[in-house]
Amino acid sequence: AADGARWRAIGFKTRDGAVCAGSAKAPAPPYRGDLTCGGGFGVVGALVERGMISELGTGLPDGQRPTGSYTIFGHVRADVRKVVFSRRGTRPILAELSPPWTTVRWHEGELRSVVSPRLRRRLRRLPRTVHIRLFMAVIPPGKHGLQPRLELEDGRVVMPFR
């Protein structure tokens, strides 16, 4: 990073099938970084609809604004070949991607908690599994408001938050 900080990505799957992603300033141990975990149709739905799940990593306690570099990290579908963060008038930042490393699943029983019949029907149409990879972009100090752009292996471009 521009401020000399070194970051590393963290990724693992729990025994109950949740997938976790995080970032930590090297050489801090993984549990000292920023971490997000999720599973089931919440993760599958977000990955199918937007192509990604992302978080900010600052290495700071909650509520503190970063003064140095920070990360944007998370999961993307395995068919994503490139993740670029940009804003008009700034140089694009290319995220690093892991190889596809695991599969997220959801089960029919998860729908019992969904009250709305309409939502339940929509969720039933989701694929049962999604193959994923980790991503992490290190953002230099002072750059904010960046938007992601995903390039898929079939050539399509997805703008998840527009």
Side-chain angles (χ1 to χ4, degrees):
D3 61 357
R6 289 184 345 185
W7 292 88
R8 67 180 188 165
I10 302 162
F12 60 92
K13 192 170 186 176
T14 65
R15 285 188 188 153
D16 64 356
V19 289
C20 301
S23 67
K25 284 188 178 179
Y31 54 84
R32 292 264 172 92
D34 296 292
L35 189 66
T36 184
C37 297
F41 63 68
V43 170
V44 170
L47 290 168
V48 168
E49 290 179 15
R50 293 190 309 266
M52 76 183 317
I53 296 172
S54 62
E55 292 285 339
L56 295 179
T58 63
L60 299 170
D62 287 345
Q64 287 190 11
R65 250 185 108 79
T67 55
S69 63
Y70 64 99
T71 63
I72 303 174
F73 64 87
H75 294 105
V76 292
R77 298 187 317 234
D79 66 337
V80 172
R81 291 291 172 238
K82 192 181 209 182
V83 178
V84 179
F85 291 91
S86 63
R87 185 180 76 207
R88 192 173 287 229
T90 66
R91 175 181 235 166
I93 297 167
L94 184 64
E96 293 182 51
L97 293 173
S98 74
W101 67 279
T102 194
T103 300
V104 182
R105 293 176 169 70
W106 72 274
H107 305 281
E108 187 74 22
E110 293 179 63
L111 294 177
R112 286 186 288 234
S113 65
V114 178
V115 176
S116 165
R118 194 160 135 202
L119 179 57
R120 210 175 304 126
R121 280 191 302 275
R122 194 185 91 184
L123 291 171
R124 273 199 179 95
R125 290 192 294 267
L126 288 175
R128 295 298 171 131
T129 62
V130 175
H131 303 294
I132 63 172
R133 55 175 81 221
L134 288 169
F135 79 88
M136 184 178 77
V138 177
I139 311 301
K143 284 206 175 188
H144 301 284
L146 303 174
Q147 293 295 312
R149 185 180 86 235
L150 312 179
E151 295 180 17
L152 307 181
E153 59 189 20
D154 65 7
R156 289 181 298 143
V157 172
V158 176
M159 304 293 280
F161 302 110
R162 289 202 176 177

